[in-house]
Structures are given as C-alpha cells and as structure tokens.
Amino acid sequence: MALIDAPEQTADGKTAPTVSFVSLGCPKALVDSERILTQLRAEGYGITRSHHGADLVIVNTCGFLDSAKAESLAAIGDAMAENGKVIVTGCMGAQPEEIRGHFPGVLAVTGPQQYETVVAAVHEAAPPAHDPFVDLVPPQGLKLTPRHYAYLKISEGCNNRCSFCIIPQLRGDLVSRPAAEVMREAEKLVKAGVKELLVISQDTSAYGVDIRYAESPWRDQPLKAKFADLSGALGELGVWVRMHYVYPYPHVDEVIPLMAERKILPYLDIPFQHASPRVLKAMRRPGNQDKTLERIRRWREICPDITLRSTFIVGFPGETDEDFELLLDWLAEAQLDRVGCFQYEPVQGATANGLGLEAVPDTVKAQRHKRFMAAQQAISTRKLKAKVGKRLPVIIDEAGPSVAKGRSMADAPEIDGNVYVASRRPLRQGDIVTVKIERSDAYDLHGVAV
C-alpha cells in the first residue's frame, strides 16, 4: 500500500489528522491491518510512515510466542518514545494487563478483529476531519501488500484445540464469511489488478462448518460456504489462487482435480507439525501419518506437479529420540516440497504447559532443528534441480535492470523460494512470464524469460 507522507488538507484548508501504523504477525493480522486502514482512510485520515509528527500510532501486535510478544512490546516502546499517543490492537491485545504493565500510558488496548473499537479509539484521540474530496478509497480498500497479490481471509477464529496454541483464546471459535461476500471481495481485488489471491484463515479447510455450509447468491446462482465450492468459484476469476493453512481433512481431496485443471494453483500449505503418533496425540493433532502418506501419493497421481508446503515443531515436551527419528523417516518418505521447522517454545496459557511432560533441553532442540533442516534441504535441492530445463510461469515481484525477482506456482510470497529471471525486455511487477529454468540451488531457481 502506498503510504502518504505529507499531511492532507480538507476543502476548507484544515489539516487532516494522520496515523502511523505498525503491523506485526501473520498474514491474517495483515488483513486486519488493511481493514482498519481502509476504514480510517475512508474517513479522511492520512497514513504516514513516520511516528514523529503523526497524531497517533496504531500497533497491531502478535502474541502467539514469547518472541513475538517481545517484538510487539519493542514496537510499542518505540512508538511511545517517538510519539507518545499509541493504540494497541491484535493478538497481544487480548492480554491488556501485560501491555499496560509495561506501558501504562497507551491510549487504548483492543484484541484481534475488534475493528470498530480501534476506530472508535482513534476518533477519541484524533477526531476525523470530514472532507468529501479526501474521504475516498479504492473499491478494493487499502492494501499493505504489493498491487499484484493480496490475502483473502475467508474466516476468523478456530475450532481446533491444539495443546501448543492459544489462537482460539485470542481470536475465538471459527466464524466463516458468507461465500458470496468472499467472492465479491475477490472480484473487487481482481478488477483492481490483483493477479494472485492468497486464501487464508486459521483453518481454511474447515471453512463453512460453523454456518452449516450455508448458501448465498453469487452471479444468480447459490454458492455454498464450503471449501471445495469456494475453491471452484475462485478458480473462475482467471487469476492465481493459492491455498494456505489447510488441515488435511478428507474433503480436501475434492480440490486436487481443480489443481490438475489449473483452476487453482497446484499448491497446498498443510501444517502437519509432526509425524510421531505419540507426539501428535500430545499436541492434540490428527495422528495417522501413514494414511496421510497414502493420501499424498493419491494427490500426486491426480496432480503430479502439486507443491506441498508444511511446518513442523521439534522439541515438543516429551519428544524422544525415537519420536524425532520417526519424524525424519516420515519426511524422507513424504518428500515435501517446502518445509519450515520451529523449535518448540512454550506459550503462556497453552494446555501443553500442564501435560506434565518432560521438557526437551534447548541444546537438544537446536541439534534436532539442525538435522531436520539439513534433511529437508537435501530434498529441496533435488526437487529444484529436477526443474532445470523446464519452462515455468513466473509472477514478477520485483523488477530489475537486467534480472527480476519472481515466484513460480510453487512459491508463496515471503515464505518460499524465488525465481531470478534474466530478460532482455523490461519486466514489470505483476507480469506473469514464461521462464526457462537454467540452474537451481537449495531454495531458489534461476532462468531466462522466453
């Protein structure tokens, strides 16, 4: 999103109030930030990059891990030091006593998704200066992502109760948006020039279960609030559609043919977390990884070039050497394309803290993390090397004088690899070009536009 550095004036010459904004955490929090900014911009507020000189600062926090809380507190501290008028929102805002314990002078503290409360706090601290010539926003709202891709949030909250996670405490149970409402937002984004929609929620494949997959009218036809139905509808918009945070429920199988047909991207982001049945049970996660391997094989039969991304946790309380070796064996058999790994970090309020399981020493966590990443790097290197010589569609994220940076269908922004594209003709951000891959490394591809 383009931020406005200079203060704006209303028709009568008054200076419109300005807000500086800090957005931390996951893409779901980024969407929350975009909604708040869109509302404020619609009311005539200027948005600035600098805390200094702004009428106030909003900090959208992350509170999932202690390290994320530390980052959030540091951002609040910087805003207090540079400006002094600070409103705090987001996941850490669900624990206001901790924030006010560090910074008693903050103007307001609100939890995640509380857009109206945030805007009301802004109104109180810096009343809006209404001006019909200023109070205009594009139909798709304001975005913090580049113009050519956008996150599309289809639900809030989560019904799962994973023992290591406090997201339901912070964001509540699953609340799905009507399918037609999601599609209207998606269509506005596409009309505004978005080439890639990244579908997100806490549990994307559970979409609609809370509203019993209710139908809503879309293009004169009823559309169910169901993962597969919504995927099919999004696939008719003519842009890349990428699915994130998909739990491997059985009905996920229904979208694989859509990927084979290129209605949506052949890409699934599935948080498997572990492979040991014992650890998965303690995590309160689905535990039959043998069946998961069989499903992965079936997916690849239907859509051979499907990209599977996942995240794992090593060092969960009670994880033994045998559990970890089982995880490595499973990883070797699954041959996932993109993998992230985190060392377990206890979260205040998580049920895992009360399981009575023996903590894994930090040195052991670090060793396991290093071994896990080395094993996955070897898999990733082999998989990327197999793409050398192929021609792949690539979306350009950053233009360059001779080499541009982009992503293939197998790469989500910020978390996966890149494709570096040499080209004699100028390439622009958002272009989708065919690239002949000439070489690879452990995470990235290099090629020439053809």
Side-chain angles (χ1 to χ4, degrees):
M1 186 197 75
L3 296 179
I4 299 93
D5 286 315
E8 298 195 17
Q9 289 189 333
T10 62
D12 59 4
K14 295 181 180 178
T15 301
T18 57
V19 175
S20 181
F21 206 104
V22 179
S23 185
L24 303 173
C26 64
K28 294 175 284 294
L30 186 73
V31 173
D32 294 345
S33 297
E34 291 172 345
R35 289 178 178 174
I36 294 168
L37 285 171
T38 296
Q39 180 62 37
L40 293 177
R41 194 71 185 92
E43 295 179 356
Y45 288 89
I47 312 299
T48 177
R49 287 185 174 88
S50 174
H51 295 343
H52 182 71
D55 289 276
L56 58 90
V57 180
I58 299 174
V59 180
N60 190 0
T61 59
C62 179
F64 183 51
L65 298 172
D66 289 345
S67 54
K69 289 182 179 180
E71 182 184 15
S72 296
L73 289 172
I76 297 168
D78 290 343
M80 290 293 291
E82 293 182 46
N83 184 284
K85 297 175 71 175
V86 179
I87 294 170
V88 179
T89 187
C91 286
M92 196 175 175
Q95 301 167 328
E97 65 285 344
E98 184 170 357
I99 293 170
R100 291 197 180 278
H102 286 85
F103 304 104
V106 295
L107 297 177
V109 181
T110 74
Q113 307 163 39
Q114 296 181 6
Y115 317 118
E116 296 85 356
T117 307
V118 175
V119 173
V122 173
H123 289 170
E124 185 173 346
H130 180 76
D131 187 325
F133 298 104
V134 173
D135 303 351
L136 299 174
V137 296
Q140 76 276 12
L142 300 185
K143 296 295 170 187
L144 295 171
T145 51
R147 183 173 180 267
H148 62 291
Y149 69 81
Y151 293 102
L152 181 66
K153 188 190 287 189
I154 63 174
S155 65
E156 301 280 4
C158 184
N159 286 345
N160 297 307
R161 295 296 184 264
C162 304
S163 63
F164 54 82
C165 181
I166 59 171
I167 291 297
Q169 298 174 36
L170 300 176
R171 290 182 169 264
D173 288 335
L174 179 72
V175 179
S176 299
R177 300 173 63 191
E181 179 183 307
V182 174
M183 292 303 302
R184 283 193 292 271
E185 180 180 349
E187 191 172 54
K188 286 180 181 179
L189 290 168
V190 172
K191 286 182 178 178
V194 167
K195 302 286 186 67
E196 179 181 10
L197 295 170
L198 299 108
V199 179
I200 59 169
S201 65
Q202 293 300 144
D203 182 357
T204 298
S205 43
Y207 171 68
V209 68
D210 59 307
I211 54 176
R212 298 184 179 182
Y213 310 115
E215 294 179 344
S216 52
W218 169 247
R219 293 183 176 176
D220 299 323
Q221 296 290 329
L223 179 62
K224 286 185 178 180
K226 201 171 184 180
F227 178 57
D229 296 62
L230 182 66
S231 297
L234 290 170
E236 297 299 324
L237 296 180
V239 297
W240 286 13
V241 177
R242 191 181 301 276
M243 295 295 175
H244 285 280
Y245 316 122
V246 178
Y247 282 62
Y249 304 134
H251 66 266
V252 172
D253 297 357
E254 298 174 27
V255 306
I256 307 302
L258 295 175
M259 296 179 179
E261 297 167 14
R262 292 297 187 268
K263 294 290 188 181
I264 63 176
L265 292 184
Y267 181 103
L268 275 179
D269 179 356
I270 301 178
F272 289 121
Q273 306 297 11
H274 214 281
S276 163
R278 202 178 63 82
V279 174
L280 288 168
K281 183 178 180 180
M283 288 179 168
R284 296 183 183 173
R285 302 280 296 180
N288 195 330
Q289 296 301 70
D290 289 338
K291 285 189 176 180
T292 301
L293 287 172
E294 178 56 35
R295 290 179 69 203
I296 289 173
R297 283 191 284 270
R298 291 202 308 270
W299 293 346
R300 286 173 172 155
E301 288 173 1
I302 298 168
C303 184
D305 58 352
I306 189 172
T307 295
L308 298 178
R309 150 168 261 286
S310 190
T311 52
F312 293 85
I313 298 172
V314 295
F316 189 80
E319 182 191 59
T320 63
D321 290 340
E322 181 182 359
D323 292 322
F324 179 67
E325 294 298 333
L326 194 156
L327 172 58
L328 291 183
D329 291 343
W330 190 91
L331 189 70
E333 190 167 355
Q335 293 288 298
L336 303 179
D337 301 87
R338 301 293 192 186
V339 170
C341 181
F342 301 92
Q343 297 179 50
Y344 175 76
E345 187 177 321
V347 178
Q348 184 180 356
T351 56
N353 302 332
L355 295 178
L357 299 172
E358 184 177 355
V360 177
D362 289 344
T363 53
V364 175
K365 288 183 195 176
Q367 291 167 1
R368 290 176 181 173
H369 180 267
K370 184 177 180 180
R371 286 186 62 197
F372 181 99
M373 292 309 298
Q376 177 57 34
Q377 187 179 71
I379 294 171
S380 176
T381 300
R382 287 195 304 271
K383 281 183 165 283
L384 290 179
K385 189 174 182 180
K387 296 183 180 183
V388 174
K390 293 185 176 181
R391 297 185 177 213
L392 303 177
V394 172
I395 189 167
I396 301 301
D397 287 334
E398 295 179 18
S402 58
V403 178
K405 186 170 77 170
R407 293 173 291 107
S408 73
M409 290 184 177
D411 306 303
E414 307 294 337
I415 57 174
D416 292 329
N418 297 299
V419 183
Y420 293 92
V421 184
S423 176
R424 292 183 178 180
R425 67 181 187 273
L427 299 177
R428 298 170 300 175
Q429 186 184 64
D431 285 349
I432 298 178
V433 298
T434 300
V435 177
K436 182 179 179 181
I437 304 303
E438 296 189 326
R439 63 184 179 90
S440 65
D441 53 39
Y443 299 107
D444 301 320
L445 296 171
H446 304 259
V448 178
V450 296

